[in-house]
Amino acid sequence: MLAEKTAVLEFERVRQDYAVEDARGIPMSVHERYRNALAEMRFKIRETRNGKTGKRLGELLVEQGVLDQEKLQQALTEQRQRGKGELLGEVLLSLGLIKEEALLSALRMQASEN
């Protein structure tokens, strides 16, 4: 639970740093740092989710009315087809099915439940 909260907070911090530096026109190295932070967050979430019970991200998004069951199934199918170990939230964002704010909100809720 603590590791998930820490991962979400770290991601949010890096995202905010990225937005500020991107607005200043900082070169690609910032993008690389952002991707590395995202990879670390993925690792921490997977590490802490192993053996944990609680609502899955898709369930939370459907309950919140952010996503319907059909869109969730579409994203899960896409996630399996990609086969790259992408997290559901990343797939949902890349397909444009949810906004980043909704994802962060659901991740915070998920972290607080565990």
Side-chain angles (χ1 to χ4, degrees):
M1 176 169 98
L2 181 59
E4 284 177 339
K5 285 182 184 179
T6 303
V8 170
L9 292 174
E10 175 65 12
F11 172 74
E12 183 64 23
R13 184 191 63 75
V14 170
R15 188 183 68 79
Q16 289 172 354
D17 289 348
Y18 166 75
V20 168
E21 291 177 5
D22 190 46
R24 291 184 189 157
I26 305 294
M28 278 302 279
S29 62
V30 172
H31 295 280
E32 197 61 40
R33 192 176 88 198
Y34 176 76
R35 273 182 269 195
N36 289 341
L38 185 59
E40 285 180 39
M41 181 191 72
R42 279 189 211 127
F43 175 78
K44 288 178 183 176
I45 289 173
R46 285 189 180 113
E47 188 177 64
T48 57
R49 285 298 290 169
N50 288 337
K52 299 273 182 175
T53 57
K55 292 186 181 173
R56 301 182 70 110
L57 179 61
E59 291 177 72
L60 288 172
L61 291 167
V62 169
E63 282 181 9
Q64 292 175 349
V66 174
L67 200 60
D68 62 30
Q69 204 60 29
E70 184 179 322
K71 300 274 191 216
L72 174 59
Q73 289 307 313
Q74 175 188 350
L76 290 170
T77 300
E78 179 69 21
Q79 183 184 30
R80 281 189 296 274
Q81 288 175 350
R82 290 181 185 190
K84 299 176 187 173
E86 281 188 80
L87 296 172
L88 178 60
E90 294 172 311
V91 174
L92 290 165
L93 288 174
S94 71
L95 293 174
L97 296 175
I98 63 170
K99 294 185 179 182
E100 187 175 355
E101 295 80 22
L103 174 60
L104 292 173
S105 173
L107 287 172
R108 283 187 202 102
M109 185 179 294
Q110 187 181 46
S112 69
E113 285 183 354
N114 292 317

